[in-house]
Amino acid sequence: MPNLIVIVLFAALLLFFIVPVIWLLLAPTKTANELIHDNPLSFGSLANLGAAWRHLITFQDHALLVWLRNSAVYSIGALVVTLATSVPAGYALALTKFRGRKTLLVITLVVMIMPTATLVLPIFLELNQFGLIGTIWSVILPFSFYPFGVYLVYIYFATTLPREILAAARIDGCSEWQLFTRIALPLAKPVAALVAFFSFVGNWNNFFLPYLVLPNSDQFPIQVGLNQLLSSTPSFNPVAGAGLNITSPELALAIIIAIVPVLVLFLFSQRALVSGMLAGATKG
């Protein structure tokens, strides 16, 4: 009986999660009419896939490629700033003593558990005050604010880095900066890779903030661009009209393209991710 329950649950999960993915992968191989009337899990044709690709790429003068480029610029730019700030901040919270350290740690934890949407309005007002709305920095700077990354680095250094190594280095005359750059930083590669992955994925998939701060289509990242594609698809937006060349199969293809960079990153960084996740599991 327990085995039967497990099989039923597994089948239900398979049906709920895997079938939509299969449908999404097959949808660009069909026409809009075939997508509605044919078997949902049937393969259309490579000719339909090629036509969907051509229509999608030519939409608004290659807007999809511009959105992908923008997403890469925003995500990688914010990632560089995130690593440059999260790793030193986590190290300082874990291994140095200064006035207000515990207060900063509490603030980091509180901000980390707050829903991201709650910070959008104050961030928007702050960016507007400094005249950054509509610029690249209106996306990169908020993306770089990553308290979860600080907390990950804090946990890593607090549980993994032996204090004896730091004490011996201090006796040998190393300054705090030398301790960080020559000892702590080389040992932080696993957790830095973990922070980099989560930061990049979060930045790539972020929709709400870029949607608010970027006024022009040629500034959109891919997630905001997908929303514009959705509003330009007559089957989802009847008032869009029928002459925009965007149909449901092309929209499905755009979604697949938006997912591919994150999927590729995950496939090529699995070892680093596992190493980072296990780095703080045992105390050195």
Side-chain angles (χ1 to χ4, degrees):
M1 190 65 177
N3 290 337
L4 180 60
I5 295 176
V6 171
I7 293 174
V8 171
L9 288 175
F10 180 77
L13 289 174
L14 185 68
L15 187 67
F16 189 79
F17 291 105
I18 303 300
V19 171
V21 174
I22 297 175
W23 180 92
L24 180 67
L25 294 175
L26 294 173
T29 67
K30 305 175 185 177
T31 64
N33 185 62
E34 292 173 345
L35 197 60
I36 296 174
H37 296 99
D38 289 2
N39 185 338
L41 300 182
S42 64
F43 181 83
S45 69
L46 294 178
N48 289 334
L49 178 61
W53 170 260
R54 290 191 298 272
H55 293 162
L56 185 61
I57 290 300
T58 57
F59 175 76
Q60 289 187 357
D61 195 21
H62 302 87
L64 183 73
L65 299 180
V66 174
W67 297 336
L68 288 170
R69 181 201 64 194
N70 292 341
S71 284
V73 171
Y74 299 149
S75 300
I76 295 174
L79 173 59
V80 171
V81 180
T82 295
L83 291 177
T85 54
S86 295
V87 176
Y91 172 84
L93 288 173
L95 297 174
T96 62
K97 297 184 182 298
F98 56 90
R99 186 184 299 273
R101 171 179 169 273
K102 290 185 178 180
T103 302
L104 277 178
L105 182 58
V106 171
I107 293 174
T108 301
L109 291 174
V110 171
V111 175
M112 185 182 71
I113 64 177
M114 290 176 63
T116 306
T118 62
L119 299 176
V120 169
L121 179 58
I123 288 175
F124 178 87
L125 295 175
E126 184 177 12
L127 292 172
N128 186 59
Q129 186 67 30
F130 286 96
L132 295 177
I133 295 297
T135 69
I136 187 175
W137 299 110
S138 65
V139 178
I140 289 181
L141 291 180
F143 277 5
S144 304
F145 179 69
Y146 196 48
F148 179 62
V150 175
Y151 186 70
L152 279 179
V153 178
Y154 162 77
I155 291 295
Y156 173 81
F157 281 130
T159 59
T160 303
L161 188 61
R163 303 300 191 276
E164 295 79 7
I165 295 179
L166 299 180
R170 288 190 180 97
I171 293 174
D172 290 338
C174 285
S175 64
E176 289 298 327
W177 177 250
Q178 290 173 324
L179 288 176
F180 173 68
T181 56
R182 297 183 181 180
I183 297 177
L185 197 57
L187 295 175
K189 290 180 181 179
V191 73
L194 195 63
V195 171
F197 177 80
F198 285 131
S199 174
F200 181 88
V201 172
N203 296 341
W204 186 272
N205 291 328
N206 196 304
F207 166 82
F208 195 27
L209 181 69
Y211 179 75
L212 290 179
V213 302
L214 298 175
N216 301 320
S217 175
D218 59 356
Q219 297 175 304
F220 289 168
I222 185 62
Q223 303 304 332
V224 181
L226 287 177
N227 180 70
Q228 183 162 325
L229 280 174
L230 184 64
S231 64
S232 300
T233 306
S235 57
F236 288 95
N237 183 16
V239 300
L244 292 173
N245 259 355
I246 294 297
T247 61
S248 298
E250 290 148 13
L251 184 61
L253 180 59
I255 294 172
I256 294 172
I257 293 172
I259 295 171
V260 166
V262 174
L263 179 61
V264 171
L265 177 65
F266 175 76
L267 292 177
F268 282 95
S269 60
Q270 288 184 74
R271 181 175 299 181
L273 292 176
V274 172
S275 177
M277 290 177 182
L278 298 178
T282 56
K283 189 167 183 176

